[in-house]
Amino acid sequence: MHNLCVAHRGASGLAPENTMAAFQKAMSFPFVQWMELDVQLSRDGVPVVIHDASLNRTTSGAGPVADFRTTQLSRLDAGSWFSKSFGGERVPLLEQVLDATIGRCRLNIELKTYNGIYPGMERKVVELLERKGLQHDSVITSFDHQALRTVRELSAEVRTGLITDLAPASLASDLQQLGASFLSIGFKRITPELMKEMRSRGIDVMAWTVNDTATMRRLAAIDPNLMICTNYPDRFAQLLQDGI
């Protein structure tokens, strides 16, 4: 099995999503070369790693992430909701995750922005990647087409990718118009035809989110170049051990 494993929000089936615990757990698996994470902006304009626009589900806080400064966010418990054993995990800054993964793991950074709700987010993330020298070792992804256009305007070097759960006939041309070389797509949309077309255009494809080994096995059989995004790298490991 040659497919790359992407740890979704870190090893989010084994530790609280988008925390350093989840990222460290994912990197404990030697075959995890990529991780996916989500970025919002704090009130003081700092990229922070959390999936929801609200704090309610995954932290001890409540209300929109955008209403809180990083000093306030850093005091929240982002682990106890998952398990008491993860009590005290914090909402990481994107910069902290970059520092922890440099030279070990590449990042798929999803911008959680829609209709410009986080003005300047794209610039903040691009500048951070450039400052760390990671503009060639990461990809910035989003559902939001305008966010991807903005990233492309800011940098010709940072890779971009479209996130979608649709596979219209125009998908390849849409990616070309966006200047995107990466496709993050719901796993149910993966077909041999889609993979063949994307491969012919030099587009890397990641299927999300695949949490059972039977589906991992089926997708791997379609194309060895397909990246498989999962909450459970340990299940991916089982396939490797079985020689699939």
Short mmCIF file of all heavy atoms in Angstrom, two decimals, residues 74-134:
data_model
loop_
_atom_site.label_atom_id
_atom_site.label_comp_id
_atom_site.label_asym_id
_atom_site.label_seq_id
_atom_site.Cartn_x
_atom_site.Cartn_y
_atom_site.Cartn_z
N SER A 74 -6.03 31.09 25.20
CA SER A 74 -4.98 30.22 25.74
C SER A 74 -5.32 29.68 27.12
O SER A 74 -4.69 28.72 27.58
CB SER A 74 -3.65 30.98 25.81
OG SER A 74 -3.70 32.00 26.79
N ARG A 75 -6.30 30.26 27.77
CA ARG A 75 -6.68 29.80 29.11
C ARG A 75 -7.80 28.75 29.08
O ARG A 75 -8.14 28.17 30.11
CB ARG A 75 -7.12 31.00 29.97
CG ARG A 75 -5.98 31.96 30.28
CD ARG A 75 -6.36 32.93 31.39
NE ARG A 75 -7.35 33.91 30.96
CZ ARG A 75 -7.03 35.12 30.47
NH1 ARG A 75 -5.76 35.48 30.35
NH2 ARG A 75 -7.99 35.97 30.12
N LEU A 76 -8.36 28.52 27.92
CA LEU A 76 -9.48 27.58 27.81
C LEU A 76 -8.98 26.13 27.79
O LEU A 76 -7.89 25.83 27.32
CB LEU A 76 -10.28 27.86 26.53
CG LEU A 76 -10.93 29.24 26.42
CD1 LEU A 76 -11.61 29.38 25.08
CD2 LEU A 76 -11.90 29.48 27.56
N ASP A 77 -9.82 25.24 28.29
CA ASP A 77 -9.56 23.80 28.25
C ASP A 77 -10.14 23.26 26.95
O ASP A 77 -11.35 23.32 26.73
CB ASP A 77 -10.22 23.14 29.46
CG ASP A 77 -9.95 21.65 29.56
OD1 ASP A 77 -9.71 21.01 28.52
OD2 ASP A 77 -10.00 21.12 30.68
N ALA A 78 -9.27 22.73 26.11
CA ALA A 78 -9.72 22.20 24.82
C ALA A 78 -9.62 20.68 24.75
O ALA A 78 -9.68 20.10 23.66
CB ALA A 78 -8.90 22.82 23.69
N GLY A 79 -9.48 20.03 25.92
CA GLY A 79 -9.32 18.58 25.91
C GLY A 79 -10.31 17.79 26.71
O GLY A 79 -10.61 16.64 26.39
N SER A 80 -10.86 18.39 27.78
CA SER A 80 -11.72 17.62 28.69
C SER A 80 -12.99 17.12 28.04
O SER A 80 -13.54 16.10 28.46
CB SER A 80 -12.06 18.48 29.92
OG SER A 80 -10.91 18.69 30.71
N TRP A 81 -13.49 17.82 27.02
CA TRP A 81 -14.70 17.36 26.33
C TRP A 81 -14.50 15.98 25.72
O TRP A 81 -15.44 15.19 25.61
CB TRP A 81 -15.10 18.36 25.23
CG TRP A 81 -14.12 18.40 24.10
CD1 TRP A 81 -13.01 19.16 24.01
CD2 TRP A 81 -14.16 17.60 22.91
NE1 TRP A 81 -12.32 18.91 22.84
CE2 TRP A 81 -13.01 17.96 22.14
CE3 TRP A 81 -15.03 16.63 22.41
CZ2 TRP A 81 -12.73 17.36 20.91
CZ3 TRP A 81 -14.75 16.04 21.18
CH2 TRP A 81 -13.61 16.42 20.44
N PHE A 82 -13.25 15.69 25.35
CA PHE A 82 -12.92 14.41 24.71
C PHE A 82 -12.70 13.33 25.76
O PHE A 82 -13.24 12.23 25.66
CB PHE A 82 -11.67 14.59 23.85
CG PHE A 82 -11.30 13.38 23.04
CD1 PHE A 82 -11.80 13.20 21.77
CD2 PHE A 82 -10.42 12.42 23.55
CE1 PHE A 82 -11.44 12.08 21.01
CE2 PHE A 82 -10.07 11.31 22.82
CZ PHE A 82 -10.59 11.14 21.55
N SER A 83 -11.93 13.69 26.78
CA SER A 83 -11.64 12.78 27.88
C SER A 83 -10.99 13.56 29.01
O SER A 83 -10.20 14.48 28.75
CB SER A 83 -10.69 11.66 27.41
OG SER A 83 -10.16 10.95 28.51
N LYS A 84 -11.29 13.17 30.23
CA LYS A 84 -10.68 13.85 31.38
C LYS A 84 -9.15 13.75 31.34
O LYS A 84 -8.45 14.62 31.86
CB LYS A 84 -11.21 13.26 32.68
CG LYS A 84 -12.67 13.60 32.97
CD LYS A 84 -13.11 13.01 34.30
CE LYS A 84 -14.56 13.36 34.60
NZ LYS A 84 -15.03 12.77 35.88
N SER A 85 -8.67 12.70 30.71
CA SER A 85 -7.21 12.51 30.67
C SER A 85 -6.52 13.57 29.81
O SER A 85 -5.30 13.73 29.89
CB SER A 85 -6.87 11.12 30.12
OG SER A 85 -7.32 10.96 28.79
N PHE A 86 -7.30 14.29 29.00
CA PHE A 86 -6.74 15.35 28.17
C PHE A 86 -7.07 16.74 28.73
O PHE A 86 -6.93 17.74 28.03
CB PHE A 86 -7.23 15.24 26.73
CG PHE A 86 -6.67 14.06 26.00
CD1 PHE A 86 -7.44 12.92 25.79
CD2 PHE A 86 -5.38 14.07 25.52
CE1 PHE A 86 -6.93 11.82 25.11
CE2 PHE A 86 -4.85 12.99 24.83
CZ PHE A 86 -5.63 11.85 24.63
N GLY A 87 -7.50 16.79 29.95
CA GLY A 87 -7.79 18.07 30.57
C GLY A 87 -6.56 18.96 30.56
O GLY A 87 -5.44 18.52 30.82
N GLY A 88 -6.75 20.23 30.23
CA GLY A 88 -5.63 21.17 30.18
C GLY A 88 -5.04 21.36 28.81
O GLY A 88 -4.18 22.23 28.63
N GLU A 89 -5.48 20.57 27.81
CA GLU A 89 -5.05 20.85 26.44
C GLU A 89 -5.59 22.23 26.03
O GLU A 89 -6.69 22.61 26.42
CB GLU A 89 -5.58 19.79 25.47
CG GLU A 89 -4.79 18.51 25.47
CD GLU A 89 -3.36 18.68 25.01
OE1 GLU A 89 -3.13 19.39 24.00
OE2 GLU A 89 -2.47 18.11 25.65
N ARG A 90 -4.81 22.94 25.24
CA ARG A 90 -5.17 24.30 24.87
C ARG A 90 -5.49 24.44 23.39
O ARG A 90 -5.23 23.54 22.60
CB ARG A 90 -4.01 25.25 25.22
CG ARG A 90 -3.59 25.20 26.68
CD ARG A 90 -4.74 25.51 27.61
NE ARG A 90 -4.37 25.42 29.02
CZ ARG A 90 -5.23 25.37 30.02
NH1 ARG A 90 -6.54 25.40 29.78
NH2 ARG A 90 -4.81 25.28 31.26
N VAL A 91 -6.09 25.56 23.04
CA VAL A 91 -6.29 25.91 21.63
C VAL A 91 -4.95 26.40 21.10
O VAL A 91 -4.45 27.44 21.55
CB VAL A 91 -7.35 27.02 21.47
CG1 VAL A 91 -7.48 27.43 20.01
CG2 VAL A 91 -8.70 26.57 22.02
N PRO A 92 -4.32 25.69 20.17
CA PRO A 92 -2.98 26.09 19.73
C PRO A 92 -3.03 27.27 18.75
O PRO A 92 -4.01 27.46 18.02
CB PRO A 92 -2.45 24.85 19.00
CG PRO A 92 -3.46 23.77 19.19
CD PRO A 92 -4.75 24.44 19.54
N LEU A 93 -1.96 28.04 18.75
CA LEU A 93 -1.73 28.97 17.67
C LEU A 93 -1.22 28.18 16.46
O LEU A 93 -0.52 27.18 16.61
CB LEU A 93 -0.67 30.01 18.05
CG LEU A 93 -0.88 30.83 19.33
CD1 LEU A 93 0.27 31.82 19.48
CD2 LEU A 93 -2.21 31.53 19.33
N LEU A 94 -1.55 28.64 15.27
CA LEU A 94 -1.02 27.99 14.08
C LEU A 94 0.51 27.99 14.13
O LEU A 94 1.16 27.00 13.76
CB LEU A 94 -1.51 28.68 12.81
CG LEU A 94 -0.93 28.16 11.50
CD1 LEU A 94 -1.22 26.68 11.29
CD2 LEU A 94 -1.45 28.98 10.31
N GLU A 95 1.09 29.07 14.60
CA GLU A 95 2.55 29.15 14.66
C GLU A 95 3.13 28.05 15.54
O GLU A 95 4.18 27.47 15.23
CB GLU A 95 2.99 30.52 15.18
CG GLU A 95 4.50 30.69 15.19
CD GLU A 95 4.93 32.11 15.47
OE1 GLU A 95 4.09 32.94 15.87
OE2 GLU A 95 6.15 32.39 15.29
N GLN A 96 2.46 27.72 16.63
CA GLN A 96 2.94 26.65 17.51
C GLN A 96 2.93 25.31 16.80
O GLN A 96 3.85 24.50 16.97
CB GLN A 96 2.06 26.58 18.77
CG GLN A 96 2.20 27.78 19.69
CD GLN A 96 1.22 27.75 20.85
OE1 GLN A 96 0.06 27.39 20.67
NE2 GLN A 96 1.68 28.11 22.04
N VAL A 97 1.90 25.07 16.00
CA VAL A 97 1.82 23.80 15.27
C VAL A 97 2.90 23.75 14.20
O VAL A 97 3.55 22.71 14.01
CB VAL A 97 0.43 23.60 14.66
CG1 VAL A 97 0.35 22.27 13.93
CG2 VAL A 97 -0.65 23.66 15.74
N LEU A 98 3.11 24.85 13.51
CA LEU A 98 4.18 24.90 12.51
C LEU A 98 5.53 24.58 13.15
O LEU A 98 6.30 23.77 12.62
CB LEU A 98 4.22 26.27 11.84
CG LEU A 98 3.02 26.67 10.98
CD1 LEU A 98 3.21 28.08 10.44
CD2 LEU A 98 2.79 25.69 9.85
N ASP A 99 5.81 25.19 14.28
CA ASP A 99 7.09 24.96 14.95
C ASP A 99 7.25 23.50 15.37
O ASP A 99 8.36 22.96 15.33
CB ASP A 99 7.21 25.87 16.18
CG ASP A 99 7.43 27.33 15.82
OD1 ASP A 99 7.84 27.61 14.68
OD2 ASP A 99 7.19 28.20 16.69
N ALA A 100 6.14 22.86 15.75
CA ALA A 100 6.20 21.48 16.23
C ALA A 100 6.32 20.46 15.10
O ALA A 100 6.71 19.32 15.34
CB ALA A 100 4.96 21.17 17.07
N THR A 101 6.00 20.88 13.88
CA THR A 101 5.95 19.92 12.77
C THR A 101 7.02 20.15 11.72
O THR A 101 7.19 19.31 10.84
CB THR A 101 4.57 19.97 12.09
OG1 THR A 101 4.29 21.31 11.66
CG2 THR A 101 3.47 19.52 13.03
N ILE A 102 7.75 21.26 11.79
CA ILE A 102 8.79 21.55 10.80
C ILE A 102 9.76 20.38 10.69
O ILE A 102 10.29 19.89 11.68
CB ILE A 102 9.56 22.84 11.17
CG1 ILE A 102 8.69 24.08 10.92
CG2 ILE A 102 10.84 22.96 10.35
CD1 ILE A 102 9.32 25.38 11.36
N GLY A 103 9.96 19.92 9.47
CA GLY A 103 10.90 18.83 9.22
C GLY A 103 10.37 17.45 9.52
O GLY A 103 11.06 16.45 9.27
N ARG A 104 9.15 17.37 10.04
CA ARG A 104 8.58 16.07 10.38
C ARG A 104 7.31 15.77 9.60
O ARG A 104 7.10 14.65 9.14
CB ARG A 104 8.29 15.99 11.90
CG ARG A 104 7.41 14.83 12.33
CD ARG A 104 8.01 13.48 11.99
NE ARG A 104 7.12 12.39 12.33
CZ ARG A 104 6.17 11.91 11.54
NH1 ARG A 104 5.98 12.44 10.33
NH2 ARG A 104 5.42 10.90 11.92
N CYS A 105 6.44 16.77 9.46
CA CYS A 105 5.12 16.50 8.89
C CYS A 105 4.65 17.73 8.12
O CYS A 105 4.83 18.87 8.57
CB CYS A 105 4.14 16.18 10.02
SG CYS A 105 2.63 15.38 9.46
N ARG A 106 4.05 17.50 6.98
CA ARG A 106 3.51 18.59 6.17
C ARG A 106 2.06 18.85 6.58
O ARG A 106 1.38 17.95 7.10
CB ARG A 106 3.61 18.24 4.69
CG ARG A 106 5.05 17.95 4.27
CD ARG A 106 5.16 17.47 2.84
NE ARG A 106 4.97 18.57 1.91
CZ ARG A 106 4.99 18.44 0.58
NH1 ARG A 106 5.17 17.23 0.05
NH2 ARG A 106 4.83 19.47 -0.20
N LEU A 107 1.60 20.07 6.32
CA LEU A 107 0.28 20.48 6.80
C LEU A 107 -0.65 20.89 5.68
O LEU A 107 -0.26 21.63 4.76
CB LEU A 107 0.41 21.64 7.79
CG LEU A 107 1.17 21.36 9.09
CD1 LEU A 107 1.19 22.61 9.95
CD2 LEU A 107 0.57 20.19 9.85
N ASN A 108 -1.88 20.42 5.79
CA ASN A 108 -3.00 20.87 4.98
C ASN A 108 -3.79 21.83 5.87
O ASN A 108 -4.46 21.40 6.81
CB ASN A 108 -3.84 19.67 4.56
CG ASN A 108 -5.13 20.05 3.85
OD1 ASN A 108 -5.55 21.20 3.85
ND2 ASN A 108 -5.78 19.05 3.26
N ILE A 109 -3.67 23.12 5.61
CA ILE A 109 -4.22 24.16 6.47
C ILE A 109 -5.53 24.67 5.87
O ILE A 109 -5.53 25.35 4.85
CB ILE A 109 -3.22 25.33 6.62
CG1 ILE A 109 -1.90 24.81 7.20
CG2 ILE A 109 -3.81 26.43 7.49
CD1 ILE A 109 -0.76 25.81 7.11
N GLU A 110 -6.63 24.29 6.51
CA GLU A 110 -7.94 24.74 6.00
C GLU A 110 -8.30 26.09 6.60
O GLU A 110 -8.38 26.25 7.82
CB GLU A 110 -9.04 23.72 6.33
CG GLU A 110 -10.40 24.20 5.84
CD GLU A 110 -11.55 23.26 6.09
OE1 GLU A 110 -11.29 22.10 6.46
OE2 GLU A 110 -12.71 23.68 5.91
N LEU A 111 -8.57 27.04 5.73
CA LEU A 111 -9.04 28.35 6.17
C LEU A 111 -10.55 28.29 6.35
O LEU A 111 -11.30 28.08 5.39
CB LEU A 111 -8.70 29.43 5.13
CG LEU A 111 -7.22 29.59 4.76
CD1 LEU A 111 -7.06 30.75 3.80
CD2 LEU A 111 -6.35 29.75 5.99
N LYS A 112 -11.01 28.47 7.58
CA LYS A 112 -12.44 28.41 7.88
C LYS A 112 -13.05 29.80 7.71
O LYS A 112 -13.47 30.45 8.67
CB LYS A 112 -12.66 27.89 9.30
CG LYS A 112 -12.00 26.55 9.59
CD LYS A 112 -12.55 25.43 8.73
CE LYS A 112 -13.95 25.04 9.14
NZ LYS A 112 -14.40 23.81 8.44
N THR A 113 -13.05 30.24 6.48
CA THR A 113 -13.58 31.57 6.19
C THR A 113 -14.62 31.47 5.09
O THR A 113 -14.45 30.72 4.14
CB THR A 113 -12.46 32.54 5.79
OG1 THR A 113 -13.01 33.83 5.57
CG2 THR A 113 -11.71 32.08 4.54
N TYR A 114 -15.68 32.20 5.27
CA TYR A 114 -16.76 32.21 4.30
C TYR A 114 -17.23 33.66 4.13
O TYR A 114 -17.48 34.36 5.12
CB TYR A 114 -17.94 31.35 4.77
CG TYR A 114 -17.54 29.94 5.11
CD1 TYR A 114 -17.21 29.59 6.42
CD2 TYR A 114 -17.48 28.96 4.12
CE1 TYR A 114 -16.82 28.29 6.73
CE2 TYR A 114 -17.09 27.66 4.43
CZ TYR A 114 -16.76 27.33 5.74
OH TYR A 114 -16.37 26.06 6.05
N ASN A 115 -17.32 34.08 2.88
CA ASN A 115 -17.82 35.42 2.57
C ASN A 115 -17.07 36.51 3.34
O ASN A 115 -17.65 37.49 3.81
CB ASN A 115 -19.32 35.51 2.87
CG ASN A 115 -20.13 34.51 2.06
OD1 ASN A 115 -19.88 34.33 0.87
ND2 ASN A 115 -21.08 33.84 2.70
N GLY A 116 -15.76 36.31 3.50
CA GLY A 116 -14.94 37.35 4.10
C GLY A 116 -15.14 37.57 5.58
O GLY A 116 -14.90 38.67 6.09
N ILE A 117 -15.56 36.52 6.32
CA ILE A 117 -15.83 36.73 7.75
C ILE A 117 -14.56 36.99 8.55
O ILE A 117 -14.63 37.53 9.66
CB ILE A 117 -16.59 35.54 8.38
CG1 ILE A 117 -15.75 34.25 8.30
CG2 ILE A 117 -17.94 35.34 7.72
CD1 ILE A 117 -16.33 33.11 9.12
N TYR A 118 -13.40 36.61 8.00
CA TYR A 118 -12.13 36.85 8.68
C TYR A 118 -11.23 37.68 7.76
O TYR A 118 -10.30 37.16 7.14
CB TYR A 118 -11.43 35.54 9.02
CG TYR A 118 -12.06 34.76 10.15
CD1 TYR A 118 -12.42 33.43 9.98
CD2 TYR A 118 -12.26 35.34 11.40
CE1 TYR A 118 -12.97 32.68 11.02
CE2 TYR A 118 -12.81 34.61 12.45
CZ TYR A 118 -13.17 33.29 12.25
OH TYR A 118 -13.71 32.56 13.28
N PRO A 119 -11.47 38.98 7.65
CA PRO A 119 -10.63 39.81 6.77
C PRO A 119 -9.16 39.72 7.15
O PRO A 119 -8.80 39.80 8.33
CB PRO A 119 -11.17 41.24 7.04
CG PRO A 119 -12.55 41.05 7.55
CD PRO A 119 -12.51 39.77 8.34
N GLY A 120 -8.33 39.49 6.16
CA GLY A 120 -6.89 39.43 6.39
C GLY A 120 -6.37 38.06 6.78
O GLY A 120 -5.16 37.88 6.94
N MET A 121 -7.25 37.09 6.93
CA MET A 121 -6.80 35.74 7.33
C MET A 121 -5.78 35.19 6.34
O MET A 121 -4.74 34.64 6.74
CB MET A 121 -7.97 34.78 7.45
CG MET A 121 -7.55 33.32 7.63
SD MET A 121 -8.92 32.14 7.56
CE MET A 121 -9.35 32.08 9.29
N GLU A 122 -6.07 35.30 5.07
CA GLU A 122 -5.20 34.73 4.05
C GLU A 122 -3.78 35.30 4.16
O GLU A 122 -2.79 34.56 4.13
CB GLU A 122 -5.76 34.99 2.65
CG GLU A 122 -7.14 34.39 2.42
CD GLU A 122 -8.28 35.32 2.80
OE1 GLU A 122 -8.02 36.37 3.42
OE2 GLU A 122 -9.44 35.00 2.46
N ARG A 123 -3.68 36.62 4.31
CA ARG A 123 -2.37 37.26 4.42
C ARG A 123 -1.63 36.79 5.67
O ARG A 123 -0.43 36.52 5.62
CB ARG A 123 -2.52 38.78 4.44
CG ARG A 123 -1.18 39.51 4.52
CD ARG A 123 -1.35 41.01 4.44
NE ARG A 123 -1.90 41.41 3.14
CZ ARG A 123 -1.16 41.57 2.06
NH1 ARG A 123 0.16 41.37 2.11
NH2 ARG A 123 -1.71 41.95 0.91
N LYS A 124 -2.34 36.68 6.78
CA LYS A 124 -1.72 36.25 8.04
C LYS A 124 -1.10 34.86 7.89
O LYS A 124 0.03 34.62 8.34
CB LYS A 124 -2.75 36.23 9.16
CG LYS A 124 -3.33 37.58 9.53
CD LYS A 124 -2.45 38.34 10.48
CE LYS A 124 -3.15 39.59 10.98
NZ LYS A 124 -2.31 40.34 11.94
N VAL A 125 -1.84 33.95 7.26
CA VAL A 125 -1.35 32.57 7.13
C VAL A 125 -0.20 32.49 6.12
O VAL A 125 0.82 31.84 6.38
CB VAL A 125 -2.50 31.62 6.75
CG1 VAL A 125 -1.97 30.21 6.47
CG2 VAL A 125 -3.54 31.58 7.87
N VAL A 126 -0.33 33.18 5.00
CA VAL A 126 0.73 33.17 3.99
C VAL A 126 2.02 33.75 4.57
O VAL A 126 3.11 33.18 4.41
CB VAL A 126 0.30 33.96 2.74
CG1 VAL A 126 1.50 34.23 1.83
CG2 VAL A 126 -0.77 33.20 1.98
N GLU A 127 1.92 34.87 5.27
CA GLU A 127 3.11 35.49 5.85
C GLU A 127 3.76 34.59 6.88
O GLU A 127 4.99 34.52 6.97
CB GLU A 127 2.75 36.84 6.47
CG GLU A 127 2.43 37.92 5.43
CD GLU A 127 2.03 39.24 6.06
OE1 GLU A 127 1.79 39.28 7.29
OE2 GLU A 127 1.97 40.24 5.32
N LEU A 128 2.95 33.86 7.63
CA LEU A 128 3.49 32.93 8.63
C LEU A 128 4.24 31.79 7.95
O LEU A 128 5.35 31.43 8.38
CB LEU A 128 2.34 32.40 9.49
CG LEU A 128 2.69 31.63 10.76
CD1 LEU A 128 3.63 32.42 11.65
CD2 LEU A 128 1.40 31.29 11.51
N LEU A 129 3.66 31.23 6.90
CA LEU A 129 4.34 30.16 6.18
C LEU A 129 5.65 30.65 5.57
O LEU A 129 6.67 29.95 5.63
CB LEU A 129 3.43 29.60 5.08
CG LEU A 129 2.21 28.81 5.54
CD1 LEU A 129 1.37 28.40 4.34
CD2 LEU A 129 2.60 27.58 6.35
N GLU A 130 5.63 31.85 5.01
CA GLU A 130 6.84 32.38 4.39
C GLU A 130 7.91 32.66 5.44
O GLU A 130 9.10 32.39 5.22
CB GLU A 130 6.50 33.64 3.60
CG GLU A 130 5.67 33.35 2.35
CD GLU A 130 5.28 34.59 1.58
OE1 GLU A 130 5.33 35.70 2.19
OE2 GLU A 130 4.93 34.47 0.40
N ARG A 131 7.51 33.16 6.59
CA ARG A 131 8.47 33.46 7.65
C ARG A 131 9.14 32.19 8.17
O ARG A 131 10.31 32.20 8.55
CB ARG A 131 7.76 34.22 8.78
CG ARG A 131 8.67 34.58 9.94
CD ARG A 131 8.16 35.79 10.68
NE ARG A 131 6.79 35.64 11.14
CZ ARG A 131 6.44 35.04 12.27
NH1 ARG A 131 7.37 34.51 13.06
NH2 ARG A 131 5.17 34.96 12.64
N LYS A 132 8.39 31.10 8.18
CA LYS A 132 8.91 29.82 8.65
C LYS A 132 9.60 29.02 7.53
O LYS A 132 10.14 27.94 7.78
CB LYS A 132 7.79 28.96 9.23
CG LYS A 132 7.05 29.59 10.41
CD LYS A 132 7.90 29.66 11.65
CE LYS A 132 7.11 30.24 12.82
NZ LYS A 132 7.93 30.31 14.05
N GLY A 133 9.56 29.55 6.31
CA GLY A 133 10.15 28.84 5.18
C GLY A 133 9.38 27.61 4.77
O GLY A 133 9.95 26.65 4.24
N LEU A 134 8.06 27.63 4.98
CA LEU A 134 7.22 26.46 4.72
C LEU A 134 6.27 26.63 3.53
O LEU A 134 5.33 25.88 3.38
CB LEU A 134 6.40 26.13 5.98
CG LEU A 134 7.23 25.66 7.18
CD1 LEU A 134 6.35 25.56 8.42
CD2 LEU A 134 7.90 24.33 6.89
#
